[in-house]
């Protein structure tokens, strides 16, 4: 099936007389007809549902759908994108381990990697997104367990050369994990370029409507954990699960099975059935929405570039963008709806511009169905001094514009009247 069909039909196919729409299974638990039957699912949790802290039929249908959209073998939903990133790392990194990340990633992920994981004994080295394979490999240590990057970085809007990063990871015998939130599988499928694990914040385009925070981890099923020899958690007995060896018992998808049976069991950051129902409603229109975001954003970016009132603009769909060639390779159908630009005149002018907008709303969100804006210097990076902002690579006048699905003429008219004010 093509992706427009998959978003509607993967994960759930009702049989004779069953509900057309995947129902909300609002139940914490599941019934078995004997003690032995319960013992059997404890021996092999993939045989049936045990408890809604780590599996649920409504969420299961969404997991199967997202796995199919990404071309993966299995997926596990989480209560947020942050939880997906956390579990994706903890699944293969223990205290004392190290990993490498592109420095062009989401700010929340930087905090997780640079501070919280560090406190837990897991160290991250950040490497420039445009680094060569050789420069990436220079940072590999004996305890390096994975490499991480973002397809389209939030908010830097750089494009990850997935093939190059996957090549570097594989020559070190470790997997590449890609955060594919901004691209979604409609615009880019990182497994086709060599990524091994994908994570998403489904709170963004996947949900689409700004109604439900969520995340997901997808397993390609392709990484050879045994051959690598570096992942004892997958290839040696799990004491917490009566000694099973994930690569032996679940050879198709040992990574995601371990993430569920061990980490989700222990951390419990699983979405509620109702949340997965809402996510599914968003997913059903994903393939129709993404092309329109791209079309609107390209027109808006071209308009902004033409005003002469900005000193920089970042949108890889523009020919002038340094990542345009990478965008053509990895995102031939468009580079999502998010644009960032800096107005001449710094923070004061940026605030004046944003406060003059009538259609676009000021909100701490991105990839909403409605057009919205954020000034990182006044919001997410407010605590920093002007000098610190410069050091962090954040221009105080930078505006992150998330172009929505309104008629593009209305979006441009709104921007034009705000540009007229500055
Ligand atoms: C928002 C975001 C996250 C975090 O997701 P939440 O659902 O907000 O926890 C991770 N990665 C990217 C690229 C994001 O935009």
């Amino acid at each position: 099936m093509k992706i427009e069909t998959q978003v509607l039909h993967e994960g759930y196919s009702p049989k004779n007389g069953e509900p057309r729409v995947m129902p909300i299974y609002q139940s914490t638990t599941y019934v078995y007809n004997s003690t032995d039957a319960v013992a059997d699912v404890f021996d092999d949790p993939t045989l049936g549902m045990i408890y809604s802290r780590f599996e649920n039929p409504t969420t299961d249908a969404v997991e199967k759908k997202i796995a199919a959209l990404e071309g993966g073998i299995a997926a596990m939903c989480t209560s947020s994108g942050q939880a997906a990133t956390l579990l994706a790392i903890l699944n293969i990194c223990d205290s004392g381990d190290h990993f490498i990340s592109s420095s062009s990633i989401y700010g929340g992920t930087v905090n997780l990697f640079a501070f919280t994981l560090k406190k837990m004994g897991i160290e991250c080295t950040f490497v420039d997104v445009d680094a060569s394979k050789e420069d990436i490999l220079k940072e590999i240590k004996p305890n390096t367990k994975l490499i991480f990057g973002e397809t389209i970085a939030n908010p830097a809007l750089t494009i990850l050369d997935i093939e190059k990063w996957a090549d570097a990871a594989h020559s070190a015998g470790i997997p590449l994990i890609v955060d594919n939130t901004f691209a979604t599988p409609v615009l880019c499928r990182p497994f086709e370029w060599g990524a091994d694990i994908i994570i998403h914040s489904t709170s963004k385009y996947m949900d689409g409507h700004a109604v439900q925070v969520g995340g997901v981890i997808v397993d390609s099923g392709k990484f050879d954990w045994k051959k690598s020899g570096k992942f004892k958690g997958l290839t040696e007995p799990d004491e917490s699960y009566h000694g099973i060896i994930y690569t032996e018992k679940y050879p198709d998808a040992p990574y995601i099975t371990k993430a569920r049976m061990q980490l989700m069991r222990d951390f419990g950051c699983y979405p509620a059935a109702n949340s997965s129902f809402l996510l599914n409603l968003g997913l059903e229109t994903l393939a129709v929405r993404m092309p329109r975001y791209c079309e609107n954003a390209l027109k808006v970016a071209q308009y902004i570039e033409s005003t002469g009132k900005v000193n920089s603009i970042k949108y890889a769909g523009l020919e002038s963008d340094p990542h345009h060639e990478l965008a053509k390779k990895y995102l031939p159908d468009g580079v999502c709806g998010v644009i960032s630009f800096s107005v001449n005149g710094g923070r004061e002018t940026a605030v004046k511009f944003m406060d003059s907008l009538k259609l676009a709303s000021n909100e701490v969100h991105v990839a909403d169905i409605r057009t919205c804006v954020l000034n990182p210097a006044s919001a997410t990076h407010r605590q920093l001094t002007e000098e610190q902002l410069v050091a962090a690579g954040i221009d105080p006048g930078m505006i992150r514009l998330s172009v929505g699905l309104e008629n593009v003429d209305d979006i441009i008219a709104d921007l034009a009247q705000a540009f007229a004010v500055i």
Side-chain angles (χ1 to χ4, degrees):
M1 288 191 285
K2 298 273 192 292
I3 201 151
E4 294 81 359
T5 317
Q6 287 181 312
V7 293
L8 292 166
H9 294 282
E10 285 285 1
Y12 175 63
S13 17
K15 296 181 208 69
N16 193 38
E18 286 183 353
R20 173 60 275 188
V21 177
M22 182 63 187
I24 303 169
Y25 280 89
Q26 194 68 45
S27 178
T28 49
T29 190
Y30 309 90
V31 173
Y32 289 91
N33 56 17
S34 72
T35 314
D36 276 353
V38 174
D40 286 346
V41 287
F42 265 92
D43 277 345
D44 185 355
T46 60
L47 295 177
M49 305 267 162
I50 295 178
Y51 191 55
S52 293
R53 193 202 309 127
F54 47 87
E55 48 191 348
N56 171 277
T58 310
T59 307
D60 179 67
V62 176
E63 288 167 343
K64 291 196 164 80
K65 178 176 287 185
I66 295 175
L69 299 180
E70 285 290 13
I73 193 153
M76 180 176 76
C77 285
T78 55
S79 53
S80 69
Q82 285 298 97
T85 311
L86 175 68
L87 296 198
I89 305 282
L90 290 186
N91 204 31
I92 46 176
C93 277
D94 295 329
S95 177
D97 283 340
H98 167 259
F99 68 100
I100 293 170
S101 173
S102 152
S103 52
S104 247
I105 52 169
Y106 173 63
T109 311
V110 174
N111 282 335
L112 173 65
F113 290 178
F115 301 102
T116 305
L117 285 180
K118 195 174 174 192
K119 281 189 218 157
M120 297 166 71
I122 298 170
E123 197 202 340
C124 175
T125 302
F126 292 97
V127 175
D128 190 274
V129 67
D130 294 322
S132 66
K133 182 186 166 189
E134 292 67 38
D135 284 343
I136 301 168
L137 288 176
K138 271 187 206 146
E139 303 299 335
I140 298 279
K141 307 178 191 184
N143 60 344
T144 305
K145 292 297 173 69
L146 65 96
I147 297 185
F148 185 95
E150 249 170 64
T151 313
I152 306 173
N154 174 15
L157 303 181
T158 51
I159 309 296
L160 188 77
D161 188 342
I162 302 172
E163 260 186 333
K164 176 181 73 187
W165 285 75
D167 190 25
H170 297 159
S171 53
I174 56 176
L176 175 68
I177 303 184
V178 170
D179 179 337
N180 201 33
T181 299
F182 270 20
T184 83
V186 173
L187 301 180
C188 178
R189 280 175 295 283
F191 290 155
E192 292 171 6
W193 301 102
D196 303 286
I197 307 294
I198 291 172
I199 66 112
H200 283 276
S201 163
T202 60
S203 324
K204 314 294 165 56
Y205 289 119
M206 286 215 177
D207 164 272
H209 301 81
V211 294
Q212 187 59 61
V213 170
V216 69
I217 307 174
V218 192
D219 185 352
S220 68
K222 286 188 197 141
F223 190 80
D224 194 336
W225 307 98
K226 251 159 81 176
K227 189 172 151 213
S228 160
K230 294 190 171 181
F231 300 95
K232 295 195 167 41
L234 285 154
T235 57
E236 289 184 3
D238 178 0
E239 279 171 48
S240 80
Y241 228 110
H242 43 72
I244 68 155
I245 298 173
Y246 292 101
T247 46
E248 299 295 321
K249 188 146 188 193
Y250 306 102
D252 292 340
Y255 175 91
I256 209 77
T257 311
K258 173 177 180 285
R260 187 188 302 277
M261 286 169 60
Q262 194 185 71
L263 297 184
M264 196 56 92
R265 176 198 64 189
D266 295 353
F267 291 121
C269 45
Y270 203 59
N274 188 65
S275 308
S276 299
F277 179 84
L278 293 172
L279 169 58
N280 188 50
L281 289 185
L283 286 174
E284 288 182 329
T285 58
L286 186 66
V288 195
R289 287 185 285 112
M290 291 315 294
R292 179 60 78 87
Y293 283 116
C294 297
E295 191 188 314
N296 278 1
L298 183 58
K299 284 184 189 155
V300 168
Q302 285 164 341
Y303 161 73
I304 293 171
E305 198 176 34
S306 75
T307 61
K309 293 204 171 186
V310 298
N311 55 42
S312 72
I313 177 162
K314 188 79 195 138
Y315 186 69
L318 291 173
E319 274 169 34
S320 58
D321 191 280
H323 288 102
H324 186 62
E325 287 307 312
L326 284 176
K328 280 205 293 199
K329 174 174 174 182
Y330 293 106
L331 301 143
D333 299 326
V335 287
C336 89
V338 189
I339 301 168
S340 70
F341 60 96
S342 290
V343 290
N344 301 332
R347 189 201 298 228
E348 225 169 277
T349 316
V351 169
K352 193 167 170 194
F353 174 84
M354 288 172 57
D355 289 348
S356 306
L357 292 167
K358 296 191 169 84
L359 182 68
S361 49
N362 261 289
E363 61 186 55
V364 183
H365 192 43
V366 65
D368 191 345
I369 201 161
R370 291 148 289 249
T371 297
C372 59
V373 285
L374 180 89
N375 173 227
S378 306
T380 46
H381 297 73
R382 187 171 180 73
Q383 282 74 19
L384 307 191
T385 62
E386 300 284 320
E387 293 81 53
Q388 285 173 321
L389 283 174
V390 174
I394 291 167
D395 179 336
M398 184 180 129
I399 295 168
R400 187 183 67 189
L401 170 67
S402 177
V403 177
L405 296 186
E406 299 92 346
N407 184 296
V408 71
D409 296 341
D410 292 331
I411 300 170
I412 291 175
D414 188 34
L415 295 169
Q417 61 83 26
F419 275 123
V421 175
I422 60 164

